[in-house]
Amino acid sequence: MKVWPFKSRKPRSIGLQLLLAVNLLLSILLGGLLFWQYEEKMEQAVREKRSSLTDEAIAVHAAVAHLSEDHGASSVQRYIDTVCQQMRNAWSPHHHIVVNLAGTLLSDRHTQSGSCSQLVDIDLGPQESTAETAHMTRHVSGTYSEEGVSVAVSETTDSIRRAARKDILTQLGMYGLLGALATATVNVMLLRIVESPLKKLLTVVDQISTGQLGTQSPTFHTREMQQLASGINLMSHRLSENERERRLQMHKARQIQQHLLPNGIRLPHLQTAHVFEPADDVAGDYYDFLPLPNGTWLICLADVTGHGVPAAMGAAMLKTLLLAEAESESFDLLSTVQNINRRFAAAILPGNFASMFLGCWNPATLEMTYASAGHEPAILLRASGTIEELESTGLLLGIDPDAQWEQQTVKLSHADRILLFSDGATESQNIDGQLFGRSQLTTALASHSACGSSLAVTNLCRNIAEYRGDSPPHDDLTLVLLACDTSPTETTRKTSAPHAANDKPPHFLAGSRKLKLILTPG
């Protein structure tokens, strides 16, 4: 059986819910009131008609009594017919008069025999049962009896209601209009007191959530809304102060990290150009060039898991450990990696680790001896155009304190190049989530082989940035290009000094936070 995913319904605004609740309640109350008034007015019209029929019965009794004495029953009959005809022509088509004259039953000739006997039972019966019986037969009657003459004047309830309905509906329409105006007034007040202030507060909260810290809410005329606005304003102010303090601290941390990176160092017979682009204010990537007592040079590129402050602290720890090892007179590459791993594993949080490429450059023999602790394989581009990879020679740092590594040695010739990089290069994603990848990085490096080291690194960064497009960087990016240069003339050119706090990266790295690009030919 297929199970359809549950879709949560978008919640209604509090203003809409208040309006729905209030309008529903007022509609029910107003409808009930109008219905009750309608029925009450109809009953009142019936009662008034009953009183009017009683008065009419008294008047008819006087006329019947006079006519019966002077002219007899025939004159009474004509009188009854005339009165009923006039009433029916005027407004009451069901107006009936029944007279009991000394045992003789007289009624208007338009009354059917069955109806006449019914009216006799209704209109001339006991006075106590007249109202109840009239209600049952939908008649209303007024009676009067004196000196042997009884008169009953009847009218149907439907006729009475029909005659009164127009006036009652007009009156109730005025009541309904007043009720609608009152409801509209309540709605306007709710919108003004609740909905409008809430929208303003939500606008302020949205601005704060998008980073506009310090935004202040306007004042309101209700105590609760003003109290809420004051709380939001205080929160916004404190968030702004905290953000300012955080930026100040991160600025100092960025300066410290920039100070840890090599600045203006040149290596004999080896040109270096490098790019350093943190995903956040500070990075977990670290690279360095350190001279060793025996005349060789230590080249390092490390990548601590994650990015931001925790990763930067791990990178600073690796810098300290590496400096301590580089000062040893009896430097050994494998022992250095093992010592760093053991101390790093003891100091780092469980579950964290780092990759590291550690190379020892011998300018006399043009040989690079290296050990790679789970780092991305470096790309060796020979001057002839062939591609080689300097594979990992052991585990990541921080996993096993007793881990062992192997070392490898490659000999370089003039114009050979080695590209060291962190996984921020190969794992850069485009808007579709596809990775830049090693093959594309290798192709890009080969396509820029005719360029100088600085331009080649610049072009590599441009290729990665263009591939990424508008997607934000997901990891720190570091590129270190080493180019073997055996020419006798050694010059040092710095294409870009370490960035100060307010420096901006080149335009092709739009959206990145920091960039360091240095060329030091040897």
Side-chain angles (χ1 to χ4, degrees):
M1 182 178 67
K2 187 175 182 179
V3 179
W4 294 97
F6 175 74
K7 295 183 179 180
S8 58
R9 185 176 58 183
K10 185 178 181 180
R12 299 188 183 96
S13 66
I14 188 173
L16 178 60
Q17 294 189 52
L18 278 175
L19 290 178
L20 288 176
V22 170
N23 288 333
L24 179 61
L25 178 60
L26 290 178
S27 298
I28 293 175
L29 291 177
L30 182 60
L33 178 62
L34 292 178
F35 179 77
W36 176 76
Q37 282 289 313
Y38 177 80
E39 293 297 326
E40 181 65 22
K41 292 293 184 182
M42 284 296 185
E43 291 299 325
Q44 182 180 354
V46 171
R47 290 193 299 269
E48 291 176 353
K49 188 61 178 178
R50 182 178 289 112
S51 177
S52 175
L53 291 175
T54 301
D55 293 339
E56 184 180 349
I58 295 173
V60 171
H61 180 277
V64 167
H66 175 73
L67 290 173
S68 63
E69 291 179 359
D70 296 343
H71 303 286
S74 59
S75 297
V76 173
Q77 182 65 57
R78 286 194 300 271
Y79 171 74
I80 293 173
D81 293 339
T82 301
V83 172
C84 287
Q85 184 64 37
Q86 291 175 349
M87 293 297 294
R88 289 168 182 165
N89 292 337
W91 67 276
S92 181
H94 302 288
H95 200 78
H96 300 288
I97 298 176
V98 179
V99 176
N100 189 346
L101 184 62
T104 302
L105 191 65
L106 301 176
S107 64
D108 60 286
R109 292 187 174 90
H110 294 87
T111 303
Q112 298 178 0
S113 59
S115 300
C116 183
S117 61
Q118 182 183 22
L119 290 172
V120 171
D121 296 335
I122 295 173
D123 299 327
L124 301 182
Q127 185 67 29
E128 291 78 6
S129 63
T130 300
E132 181 180 358
T133 309
H135 177 74
M136 291 173 59
T137 55
R138 303 181 63 83
H139 279 77
V140 176
S141 63
T143 62
Y144 186 75
S145 179
E146 189 178 19
E147 298 178 356
V149 177
S150 298
V151 178
V153 182
S154 303
E155 183 61 67
T156 61
T157 304
D158 291 341
S159 297
I160 299 172
R161 286 177 169 267
R162 188 165 50 251
R165 183 173 292 118
K166 181 178 180 180
D167 293 337
I168 294 176
L169 290 178
T170 300
Q171 186 177 5
L172 294 182
M174 296 299 297
Y175 292 160
L177 180 60
L178 292 176
L181 291 176
T183 302
T185 303
V186 172
N187 290 341
V188 171
M189 294 302 295
L190 282 176
L191 291 174
R192 182 176 179 182
I193 296 175
V194 178
E195 179 73 2
S196 179
L198 279 179
K199 285 185 177 180
K200 293 180 180 178
L201 289 175
L202 287 176
T203 300
V204 173
V205 172
D206 288 341
Q207 291 174 346
I208 294 174
S209 67
T210 56
Q212 302 179 41
L213 305 181
T215 304
Q216 296 292 293
S217 168
T219 58
F220 300 103
H221 301 293
T222 57
R223 183 180 61 187
E224 293 80 5
M225 288 298 177
Q226 184 57 40
Q227 184 176 358
L228 183 58
S230 299
I232 292 176
N233 290 340
L234 180 60
M235 176 195 68
S236 179
H237 175 72
R238 289 180 177 175
L239 287 175
S240 177
E241 290 296 316
N242 292 341
E243 177 64 13
R244 185 182 65 82
E245 181 65 21
R246 188 195 71 84
R247 289 183 180 276
L248 178 62
Q249 298 298 329
M250 294 307 299
H251 170 66
K252 294 179 180 179
R254 184 166 60 248
Q255 287 182 321
I256 293 173
Q257 188 171 57
Q258 292 287 350
H259 185 69
L260 296 178
L261 299 177
N263 179 16
I265 296 177
R266 63 179 184 178
L267 280 68
H269 299 304
L270 202 63
Q271 280 190 356
T272 63
H274 25 94
V275 167
F276 180 72
E277 182 191 349
D280 291 327
D281 293 288
V282 290
D285 289 355
Y286 159 65
Y287 67 94
D288 213 342
F289 311 124
L290 300 175
L292 298 176
N294 59 5
T296 61
W297 284 82
L298 198 59
I299 299 173
C300 172
L301 176 58
D303 183 3
V304 182
T305 54
H307 50 83
V309 174
M313 294 179 66
M317 188 184 306
L318 289 176
K319 167 82 173 182
T320 303
L321 296 175
L322 189 61
L323 284 175
E325 293 293 326
E327 293 175 355
S328 174
E329 293 291 339
S330 58
F331 177 83
D332 178 73
L333 182 64
L334 292 182
S335 297
T336 296
V337 177
Q338 292 168 6
N339 292 337
I340 291 175
N341 173 64
R342 185 175 61 255
R343 293 166 182 166
F344 185 75
I348 203 70
L349 289 174
N352 290 357
F353 49 87
S355 66
M356 175 184 281
F357 177 92
L358 194 60
C360 186
W361 168 246
N362 190 335
T365 62
L366 300 183
E367 291 180 339
M368 175 80 73
T369 301
Y370 71 91
S372 177
H375 197 76
E376 287 275 356
I379 301 173
L380 172 56
L381 176 62
R382 297 290 187 179
S384 61
T386 59
I387 301 292
E388 300 176 20
E389 290 189 348
L390 308 186
E391 297 286 351
S392 172
T393 62
L395 288 176
L396 294 163
L397 301 178
I399 294 180
D400 181 6
D402 301 321
Q404 301 291 321
W405 285 266
E406 297 179 356
Q407 67 180 29
Q408 302 288 338
T409 300
V410 294
K411 185 174 180 62
L412 301 184
S413 301
H414 181 73
D416 287 349
R417 292 182 174 185
I418 296 178
L419 178 65
L420 308 177
F421 55 92
S422 63
D423 55 10
T426 56
E427 294 180 3
S428 292
Q429 300 180 12
N430 59 14
I431 57 176
D432 297 325
Q434 298 175 338
L435 301 181
F436 189 72
R438 286 185 58 84
S439 61
Q440 197 166 181
L441 181 63
T442 303
T443 302
L445 176 63
S447 65
H448 305 312
S449 60
C451 304
S453 300
S454 174
L455 184 57
V457 169
T458 299
N459 289 336
L460 284 175
C461 288
R462 180 181 291 110
N463 295 147
I464 295 173
E466 290 175 350
Y467 182 83
R468 192 169 63 216
D470 295 331
S471 300
H474 297 286
D475 201 356
D476 307 318
L477 170 63
T478 301
L479 300 175
V480 176
L481 184 61
L482 310 173
C484 183
D485 185 4
T486 59
S487 60
T489 302
E490 296 185 0
T491 57
T492 300
R493 291 187 299 109
K494 187 186 298 182
T495 61
S496 175
H499 286 279
N502 58 352
D503 286 345
K504 296 182 179 179
H507 62 87
F508 59 82
L509 287 176
S512 63
R513 297 175 182 270
K514 278 77 56 185
L515 172 69
K516 188 176 184 181
L517 176 60
I518 298 179
L519 171 66
T520 54

